[in-house]
Structures are given as structure tokens and as C-alpha cells.
Short mmCIF file of all heavy atoms in Angstrom, two decimals:
data_model
loop_
_atom_site.label_atom_id
_atom_site.label_comp_id
_atom_site.label_asym_id
_atom_site.label_seq_id
_atom_site.Cartn_x
_atom_site.Cartn_y
_atom_site.Cartn_z
N PHE A 288 0.86 -1.19 0.00
CA PHE A 288 0.00 0.00 0.00
C PHE A 288 0.89 1.23 0.00
O PHE A 288 1.89 1.29 0.73
CB PHE A 288 -0.92 0.04 1.22
CG PHE A 288 -1.93 1.16 1.18
CD1 PHE A 288 -3.04 1.07 0.38
CD2 PHE A 288 -1.73 2.32 1.92
CE1 PHE A 288 -3.97 2.11 0.31
CE2 PHE A 288 -2.64 3.36 1.88
CZ PHE A 288 -3.77 3.25 1.06
N LEU A 289 0.53 2.21 -0.81
CA LEU A 289 1.26 3.47 -0.89
C LEU A 289 0.49 4.56 -0.17
O LEU A 289 -0.63 4.90 -0.56
CB LEU A 289 1.50 3.87 -2.35
CG LEU A 289 2.17 5.23 -2.57
CD1 LEU A 289 3.61 5.18 -2.07
CD2 LEU A 289 2.13 5.63 -4.03
N PHE A 290 1.08 5.11 0.89
CA PHE A 290 0.50 6.26 1.58
C PHE A 290 1.01 7.51 0.87
O PHE A 290 2.23 7.75 0.81
CB PHE A 290 0.95 6.31 3.04
CG PHE A 290 0.43 5.18 3.88
CD1 PHE A 290 1.22 4.04 4.09
CD2 PHE A 290 -0.82 5.24 4.48
CE1 PHE A 290 0.76 3.00 4.88
CE2 PHE A 290 -1.28 4.20 5.27
CZ PHE A 290 -0.50 3.07 5.46
N GLN A 291 0.08 8.32 0.34
CA GLN A 291 0.49 9.57 -0.28
C GLN A 291 -0.68 10.55 -0.28
O GLN A 291 -1.79 10.21 -0.68
CB GLN A 291 0.96 9.36 -1.72
CG GLN A 291 1.50 10.65 -2.32
CD GLN A 291 1.91 10.48 -3.76
OE1 GLN A 291 1.17 9.91 -4.54
NE2 GLN A 291 3.08 10.97 -4.10
N SER A 292 -0.44 11.75 0.21
CA SER A 292 -1.49 12.75 0.27
C SER A 292 -1.66 13.41 -1.08
O SER A 292 -0.72 13.53 -1.86
CB SER A 292 -1.16 13.82 1.32
OG SER A 292 -1.21 13.29 2.61
N TYR A 293 -2.88 13.83 -1.34
CA TYR A 293 -3.16 14.58 -2.55
C TYR A 293 -4.34 15.51 -2.29
O TYR A 293 -5.20 15.22 -1.46
CB TYR A 293 -3.42 13.64 -3.74
CG TYR A 293 -4.28 12.45 -3.47
CD1 TYR A 293 -5.58 12.40 -3.93
CD2 TYR A 293 -3.79 11.36 -2.75
CE1 TYR A 293 -6.38 11.30 -3.70
CE2 TYR A 293 -4.57 10.25 -2.51
CZ TYR A 293 -5.87 10.22 -2.99
OH TYR A 293 -6.67 9.13 -2.74
N GLU A 294 -4.35 16.62 -3.00
CA GLU A 294 -5.29 17.69 -2.67
C GLU A 294 -6.62 17.56 -3.41
O GLU A 294 -7.65 17.98 -2.93
CB GLU A 294 -4.65 19.04 -2.99
CG GLU A 294 -3.44 19.34 -2.09
CD GLU A 294 -2.76 20.64 -2.47
OE1 GLU A 294 -3.19 21.25 -3.48
OE2 GLU A 294 -1.80 21.03 -1.79
N ASN A 295 -6.59 17.03 -4.59
CA ASN A 295 -7.81 16.88 -5.37
C ASN A 295 -7.83 15.50 -6.02
O ASN A 295 -6.79 14.96 -6.36
CB ASN A 295 -7.88 17.94 -6.48
CG ASN A 295 -7.89 19.34 -5.93
OD1 ASN A 295 -8.83 19.74 -5.25
ND2 ASN A 295 -6.83 20.09 -6.18
N ALA A 296 -9.03 14.96 -6.17
CA ALA A 296 -9.14 13.65 -6.81
C ALA A 296 -8.59 13.74 -8.24
O ALA A 296 -8.77 14.73 -8.94
CB ALA A 296 -10.60 13.21 -6.84
N LEU A 297 -7.91 12.70 -8.65
CA LEU A 297 -7.30 12.69 -9.98
C LEU A 297 -8.37 12.65 -11.07
O LEU A 297 -9.40 12.01 -10.94
CB LEU A 297 -6.41 11.47 -10.13
CG LEU A 297 -5.07 11.50 -9.40
CD1 LEU A 297 -4.38 10.16 -9.55
CD2 LEU A 297 -4.18 12.58 -9.97
N SER A 298 -8.10 13.35 -12.16
CA SER A 298 -8.96 13.29 -13.33
C SER A 298 -8.44 12.18 -14.23
O SER A 298 -7.25 12.11 -14.52
CB SER A 298 -8.92 14.63 -14.07
OG SER A 298 -9.62 14.54 -15.29
N ILE A 299 -9.31 11.28 -14.65
CA ILE A 299 -8.88 10.17 -15.49
C ILE A 299 -9.61 10.19 -16.82
O ILE A 299 -10.69 10.78 -16.95
CB ILE A 299 -9.10 8.81 -14.79
CG1 ILE A 299 -10.60 8.53 -14.64
CG2 ILE A 299 -8.39 8.75 -13.46
CD1 ILE A 299 -10.89 7.08 -14.31
N ASP A 300 -9.04 9.55 -17.81
CA ASP A 300 -9.71 9.37 -19.10
C ASP A 300 -10.63 8.15 -19.00
O ASP A 300 -10.25 7.11 -18.45
CB ASP A 300 -8.68 9.14 -20.21
CG ASP A 300 -7.87 10.40 -20.50
OD1 ASP A 300 -8.47 11.50 -20.44
OD2 ASP A 300 -6.67 10.29 -20.78
N TYR A 301 -11.83 8.28 -19.55
CA TYR A 301 -12.77 7.17 -19.55
C TYR A 301 -13.72 7.32 -20.74
O TYR A 301 -13.89 8.42 -21.29
CB TYR A 301 -13.56 7.11 -18.24
CG TYR A 301 -14.45 8.31 -17.99
CD1 TYR A 301 -15.82 8.27 -18.24
CD2 TYR A 301 -13.93 9.49 -17.46
CE1 TYR A 301 -16.64 9.36 -18.00
CE2 TYR A 301 -14.74 10.59 -17.20
CZ TYR A 301 -16.10 10.52 -17.47
OH TYR A 301 -16.91 11.61 -17.23
N SER A 302 -14.33 6.23 -21.15
CA SER A 302 -15.23 6.26 -22.29
C SER A 302 -16.14 5.05 -22.28
O SER A 302 -15.70 3.93 -21.99
CB SER A 302 -14.43 6.29 -23.60
OG SER A 302 -15.29 6.32 -24.73
N VAL A 303 -17.42 5.26 -22.60
CA VAL A 303 -18.34 4.15 -22.77
C VAL A 303 -17.95 3.37 -24.02
O VAL A 303 -17.61 3.96 -25.06
CB VAL A 303 -19.79 4.64 -22.89
CG1 VAL A 303 -20.74 3.48 -23.20
CG2 VAL A 303 -20.22 5.36 -21.63
N LEU A 304 -17.98 2.06 -23.94
CA LEU A 304 -17.67 1.20 -25.09
C LEU A 304 -18.97 0.75 -25.73
O LEU A 304 -19.67 -0.12 -25.21
CB LEU A 304 -16.84 0.00 -24.62
CG LEU A 304 -15.52 0.35 -23.92
CD1 LEU A 304 -14.87 -0.91 -23.33
CD2 LEU A 304 -14.56 1.03 -24.88
N LEU A 305 -19.31 1.36 -26.87
CA LEU A 305 -20.62 1.13 -27.48
C LEU A 305 -20.80 -0.30 -27.96
O LEU A 305 -21.89 -0.87 -27.85
CB LEU A 305 -20.81 2.08 -28.67
CG LEU A 305 -20.84 3.58 -28.35
CD1 LEU A 305 -21.01 4.39 -29.64
CD2 LEU A 305 -21.97 3.91 -27.37
N ASN A 306 -19.75 -0.89 -28.50
CA ASN A 306 -19.88 -2.22 -29.13
C ASN A 306 -19.28 -3.35 -28.31
O ASN A 306 -19.05 -4.44 -28.83
CB ASN A 306 -19.22 -2.18 -30.51
CG ASN A 306 -19.85 -1.14 -31.42
OD1 ASN A 306 -21.07 -1.03 -31.50
ND2 ASN A 306 -19.00 -0.36 -32.09
N ASP A 307 -19.02 -3.09 -27.05
CA ASP A 307 -18.43 -4.13 -26.22
C ASP A 307 -19.46 -5.23 -25.93
O ASP A 307 -20.66 -4.93 -25.73
CB ASP A 307 -17.95 -3.52 -24.90
CG ASP A 307 -17.08 -4.46 -24.10
OD1 ASP A 307 -15.85 -4.44 -24.30
OD2 ASP A 307 -17.63 -5.24 -23.29
N PRO A 308 -19.03 -6.49 -25.89
CA PRO A 308 -19.97 -7.60 -25.58
C PRO A 308 -20.66 -7.46 -24.23
O PRO A 308 -21.74 -8.00 -24.03
CB PRO A 308 -19.07 -8.84 -25.60
CG PRO A 308 -17.88 -8.46 -26.42
CD PRO A 308 -17.68 -7.00 -26.20
N LYS A 309 -20.03 -6.72 -23.30
CA LYS A 309 -20.62 -6.54 -21.98
C LYS A 309 -21.72 -5.48 -21.96
O LYS A 309 -22.47 -5.38 -20.99
CB LYS A 309 -19.52 -6.16 -20.98
CG LYS A 309 -18.46 -7.23 -20.74
CD LYS A 309 -18.99 -8.34 -19.88
CE LYS A 309 -17.88 -9.31 -19.51
NZ LYS A 309 -18.36 -10.39 -18.62
N SER A 310 -21.79 -4.66 -23.00
CA SER A 310 -22.82 -3.61 -23.07
C SER A 310 -24.14 -4.23 -23.51
O SER A 310 -24.20 -4.95 -24.50
CB SER A 310 -22.40 -2.51 -24.03
OG SER A 310 -21.28 -1.79 -23.54
N ILE A 311 -25.20 -3.96 -22.75
CA ILE A 311 -26.52 -4.54 -23.02
C ILE A 311 -27.54 -3.41 -23.06
O ILE A 311 -27.55 -2.54 -22.20
CB ILE A 311 -26.91 -5.56 -21.93
CG1 ILE A 311 -25.89 -6.69 -21.87
CG2 ILE A 311 -28.31 -6.12 -22.18
CD1 ILE A 311 -26.13 -7.66 -20.72
N GLY A 312 -28.42 -3.43 -24.05
CA GLY A 312 -29.44 -2.41 -24.19
C GLY A 312 -29.24 -1.61 -25.47
O GLY A 312 -28.42 -1.96 -26.33
N ARG A 313 -29.99 -0.53 -25.59
CA ARG A 313 -29.89 0.33 -26.77
C ARG A 313 -29.42 1.72 -26.34
O ARG A 313 -29.97 2.30 -25.39
CB ARG A 313 -31.24 0.44 -27.47
CG ARG A 313 -31.18 1.13 -28.84
CD ARG A 313 -32.55 1.37 -29.38
NE ARG A 313 -33.22 2.45 -28.64
CZ ARG A 313 -34.54 2.62 -28.58
NH1 ARG A 313 -35.34 1.73 -29.17
NH2 ARG A 313 -35.08 3.62 -27.90
N PHE A 314 -28.44 2.26 -27.04
CA PHE A 314 -27.94 3.61 -26.75
C PHE A 314 -26.95 3.99 -27.84
O PHE A 314 -26.41 3.14 -28.54
CB PHE A 314 -27.27 3.67 -25.37
CG PHE A 314 -26.32 2.55 -25.09
CD1 PHE A 314 -25.01 2.57 -25.52
CD2 PHE A 314 -26.77 1.43 -24.39
CE1 PHE A 314 -24.15 1.53 -25.27
CE2 PHE A 314 -25.90 0.37 -24.13
CZ PHE A 314 -24.59 0.42 -24.58
N ARG A 315 -26.71 5.28 -27.96
CA ARG A 315 -25.70 5.77 -28.89
C ARG A 315 -25.11 7.06 -28.32
O ARG A 315 -25.66 7.66 -27.41
CB ARG A 315 -26.29 6.02 -30.27
CG ARG A 315 -27.39 7.07 -30.33
CD ARG A 315 -27.99 7.14 -31.73
NE ARG A 315 -29.04 8.13 -31.83
CZ ARG A 315 -28.87 9.42 -32.13
NH1 ARG A 315 -27.63 9.87 -32.34
NH2 ARG A 315 -29.88 10.26 -32.22
N GLN A 316 -23.96 7.45 -28.88
CA GLN A 316 -23.33 8.68 -28.41
C GLN A 316 -24.23 9.87 -28.69
O GLN A 316 -24.87 9.95 -29.74
CB GLN A 316 -21.97 8.89 -29.10
CG GLN A 316 -21.19 10.07 -28.54
CD GLN A 316 -19.81 10.21 -29.16
OE1 GLN A 316 -19.57 9.69 -30.25
NE2 GLN A 316 -18.91 10.91 -28.50
N SER A 317 -24.26 10.81 -27.77
CA SER A 317 -25.14 11.97 -27.92
C SER A 317 -24.73 12.82 -29.12
O SER A 317 -23.55 12.88 -29.49
CB SER A 317 -25.11 12.83 -26.65
OG SER A 317 -23.88 13.51 -26.54
N SER A 318 -25.69 13.46 -29.71
CA SER A 318 -25.42 14.31 -30.87
C SER A 318 -24.53 15.49 -30.50
O SER A 318 -23.73 15.95 -31.32
CB SER A 318 -26.74 14.82 -31.47
OG SER A 318 -27.52 15.47 -30.47
N ASP A 319 -24.62 15.97 -29.25
CA ASP A 319 -23.76 17.08 -28.81
C ASP A 319 -22.29 16.66 -28.84
O ASP A 319 -21.43 17.43 -29.29
CB ASP A 319 -24.15 17.54 -27.40
CG ASP A 319 -25.48 18.26 -27.37
OD1 ASP A 319 -25.90 18.74 -28.45
OD2 ASP A 319 -26.08 18.34 -26.29
N GLU A 320 -22.00 15.46 -28.35
CA GLU A 320 -20.62 14.99 -28.38
C GLU A 320 -20.15 14.73 -29.81
O GLU A 320 -19.00 14.99 -30.16
CB GLU A 320 -20.47 13.70 -27.55
CG GLU A 320 -20.33 13.95 -26.07
CD GLU A 320 -19.88 12.72 -25.31
OE1 GLU A 320 -20.05 11.60 -25.82
OE2 GLU A 320 -19.35 12.89 -24.19
N LEU A 321 -21.05 14.23 -30.64
CA LEU A 321 -20.68 13.97 -32.03
C LEU A 321 -20.33 15.26 -32.76
O LEU A 321 -19.40 15.31 -33.57
CB LEU A 321 -21.82 13.25 -32.75
CG LEU A 321 -22.01 11.77 -32.41
CD1 LEU A 321 -23.32 11.25 -33.00
CD2 LEU A 321 -20.83 10.96 -32.92
N LYS A 322 -21.06 16.32 -32.46
CA LYS A 322 -20.77 17.61 -33.09
C LYS A 322 -19.40 18.13 -32.69
O LYS A 322 -18.72 18.80 -33.48
CB LYS A 322 -21.84 18.63 -32.69
CG LYS A 322 -23.20 18.39 -33.33
CD LYS A 322 -24.23 19.39 -32.81
CE LYS A 322 -25.61 19.10 -33.36
NZ LYS A 322 -26.63 20.02 -32.80
N LEU A 323 -18.99 17.82 -31.46
CA LEU A 323 -17.67 18.25 -30.98
C LEU A 323 -16.57 17.31 -31.44
O LEU A 323 -15.41 17.52 -31.11
CB LEU A 323 -17.68 18.33 -29.45
CG LEU A 323 -18.61 19.38 -28.83
CD1 LEU A 323 -18.66 19.21 -27.32
CD2 LEU A 323 -18.14 20.79 -29.20
N ARG A 324 -16.95 16.29 -32.21
CA ARG A 324 -16.01 15.29 -32.72
C ARG A 324 -15.22 14.63 -31.59
O ARG A 324 -14.04 14.35 -31.70
CB ARG A 324 -15.05 15.93 -33.73
CG ARG A 324 -15.75 16.53 -34.93
CD ARG A 324 -14.77 17.23 -35.84
NE ARG A 324 -13.84 16.28 -36.45
CZ ARG A 324 -12.78 16.65 -37.17
NH1 ARG A 324 -12.51 17.94 -37.33
NH2 ARG A 324 -11.98 15.74 -37.71
N LYS A 325 -15.92 14.38 -30.50
CA LYS A 325 -15.27 13.74 -29.36
C LYS A 325 -15.14 12.24 -29.59
O LYS A 325 -16.11 11.57 -29.95
CB LYS A 325 -16.07 13.99 -28.07
CG LYS A 325 -15.80 15.34 -27.43
CD LYS A 325 -16.36 15.34 -26.01
CE LYS A 325 -15.96 16.60 -25.27
NZ LYS A 325 -16.42 16.57 -23.87
N ARG A 326 -13.94 11.74 -29.37
CA ARG A 326 -13.74 10.30 -29.49
C ARG A 326 -14.09 9.57 -28.20
O ARG A 326 -14.40 8.39 -28.22
CB ARG A 326 -12.29 10.00 -29.90
CG ARG A 326 -11.99 10.36 -31.35
CD ARG A 326 -10.57 9.94 -31.72
NE ARG A 326 -10.30 10.08 -33.14
CZ ARG A 326 -9.90 11.20 -33.72
NH1 ARG A 326 -9.71 12.27 -32.98
NH2 ARG A 326 -9.70 11.27 -35.02
#
């Protein structure tokens, strides 16, 4: 275990996986994100 203080929670990269076998249901990336060309 590493003891280390930090002032703010870390920001991480994350993304929903649309075509992953674990994803169940119907959904798609929002049109707002698509307009911003967000990957």
C-alpha cells in the first residue's frame, strides 16, 4: 500500500464502449458529443 497525500481527486480518461460484448441495451453517443467530434 502506498501512503500519499493529494489535494484533489485525480482526473482520469474514460469512455463508454458502445460495441463491447458486456454492453446490453440500446444507446448511442449523444449528438452534442458527435458535433464536438469527441472520441
Side-chain angles (χ1 to χ4, degrees):
F288 187 77
L289 176 67
F290 294 95
Q291 185 183 46
S292 292
Y293 43 106
E294 295 176 356
N295 299 294
L297 285 174
S298 173
I299 67 165
D300 291 324
Y301 64 100
S302 180
V303 175
L304 302 173
L305 296 179
N306 301 315
D307 191 90
K309 295 285 187 178
S310 293
I311 300 174
R313 189 188 72 202
F314 46 84
R315 63 185 180 88
Q316 186 176 21
S317 72
S318 54
D319 289 340
E320 278 193 339
L321 285 170
K322 288 176 184 176
L323 295 172
R324 300 176 66 188
K325 278 194 172 184
R326 288 184 172 86

